[in-house]
Amino acid sequence: AKRELSCGSAVSCLDYAQSLKAVFSGEENGTVIAWDMTRGLQLAVVWCGASVNCLAYWFIAPYIRDIPHLNDGQAMSKLIPATERGTMGRTFLTGDAAFKVTVWDIETTQAKKTFHCHSHVLVLAVSPFLGLIAAGEANGRVTLWDAEVETVLHRFEGGALRSLHFTAAGEIHCLLCAESMRLISWDIDTGQFRSRNLKRTSSCSCVSSLCVLSSEGKADESGHDQLLVGDSAGLVRALP
């Protein structure tokens, strides 16, 4: 190994911040450490108070557009103010075994916002351009928040959650959820969903991970995002 980072307990989740050249490690004892990978030094240490199941680095720009409106689904323009409790700046999120999602300020290592759930938070997704946070829980529920005003936009009922991702098809913004045998796509504006069966014939393998290749990277000649799905049989499939 080129470099080893010594943590205090079992590492349950990792994320990488490209702009900071830093790795975030979440541990079962509730500790999150931001590491400088070049020098192997700790940039920040946060204790969450409960076992960390998932985390995500999040840099949100000050100007946000096309936020789904809470009441009628209409898109509205929005400016994120630079308030003390605002989400603007470099932050990271943790989902833990204490039924909560927390937004942490990297520079001060203080909690800026806390979103409460109803069971263990297993997966997280953030949308830096929409100012949205999605969390998947052990009970199969997925909750979508407007992070700035701390308001629930939608709650979706799912199954055995494996992964969450935000994606877009033209002007339609969607939240993708990988379950054990299917892929669900929720329209963020309307809350409507489509289900896609991922079970292969003569196989009992379950979906274990999901990755979205953005069309901006020309992953697909058609201009649409492409999905990579990994399953318990050791296979990775590319889906349009």
Side-chain angles (χ1 to χ4, degrees):
K2 291 185 177 180
R3 186 177 298 279
E4 292 184 353
L5 306 175
S6 179
C7 299
S9 67
V11 177
S12 54
C13 50
L14 292 169
D15 197 19
Y16 179 65
Q18 177 68 35
S19 60
L20 297 178
K21 298 295 188 293
V23 170
F24 293 83
S25 61
E27 304 177 31
E28 290 185 354
N29 66 3
T31 303
V32 176
I33 303 176
W35 300 89
D36 182 331
M37 286 299 295
T38 304
R39 298 173 293 173
L41 301 177
Q42 295 181 1
L43 300 176
V45 179
V46 168
W47 187 64
C48 300
S51 178
V52 181
N53 297 325
C54 50
L55 57 82
Y57 169 72
W58 192 20
F59 174 74
I60 185 167
Y63 292 94
I64 308 298
R65 292 184 293 177
D66 298 336
I67 300 293
H69 196 276
L70 179 63
N71 296 322
D72 55 10
Q74 296 293 324
M76 57 178 286
S77 297
K78 180 176 177 182
L79 172 65
I80 299 296
T83 59
E84 182 179 350
R85 287 179 50 79
T87 47
M88 187 176 71
R90 301 184 188 278
T91 62
F92 68 91
L93 285 74
T94 57
D96 59 38
F99 305 0
K100 67 182 185 298
V101 175
T102 308
V103 181
W104 301 89
D105 186 291
I106 294 178
E107 294 184 1
T108 65
T109 68
Q110 298 298 310
K112 301 180 71 172
K113 295 175 183 290
T114 301
F115 302 90
H116 296 282
C117 302
H118 296 85
S119 64
H120 289 229
V121 180
L122 301 181
V123 289
L124 284 172
V126 293
S127 176
F129 300 108
L130 294 179
L132 305 179
I133 297 173
E137 304 176 40
N139 61 7
R141 173 177 290 177
V142 177
T143 305
L144 180 67
W145 291 279
D146 181 319
E148 186 62 28
V149 296
E150 303 180 44
T151 301
V152 174
L153 297 178
H154 294 292
R155 279 196 173 98
F156 312 110
E157 300 298 333
L161 302 174
R162 305 287 181 174
S163 182
L164 284 174
H165 285 274
F166 284 99
T167 186
E171 297 182 354
I172 300 176
H173 298 277
C174 299
L175 178 64
L176 293 178
C177 173
E179 295 184 359
S180 57
M181 294 292 182
R182 63 176 181 164
L183 179 69
I184 298 177
S185 174
W186 284 290
D187 187 312
I188 293 176
D189 293 328
T190 65
Q192 297 180 344
F193 74 94
R194 292 183 300 171
S195 178
R196 180 174 181 178
N197 187 8
L198 297 180
K199 188 179 186 303
R200 294 181 293 116
T201 57
S202 70
S203 174
C204 295
S205 62
C206 298
V207 175
S208 57
S209 58
L210 173 68
C211 178
V212 179
L213 300 182
S214 174
S215 58
E216 294 180 359
K218 298 182 179 180
D220 186 358
E221 293 180 357
S222 64
H224 297 293
D225 290 350
Q226 193 173 34
L227 305 179
L228 295 181
V229 176
D231 61 30
S232 58
L235 297 178
V236 177
R237 289 179 287 162
L239 302 174

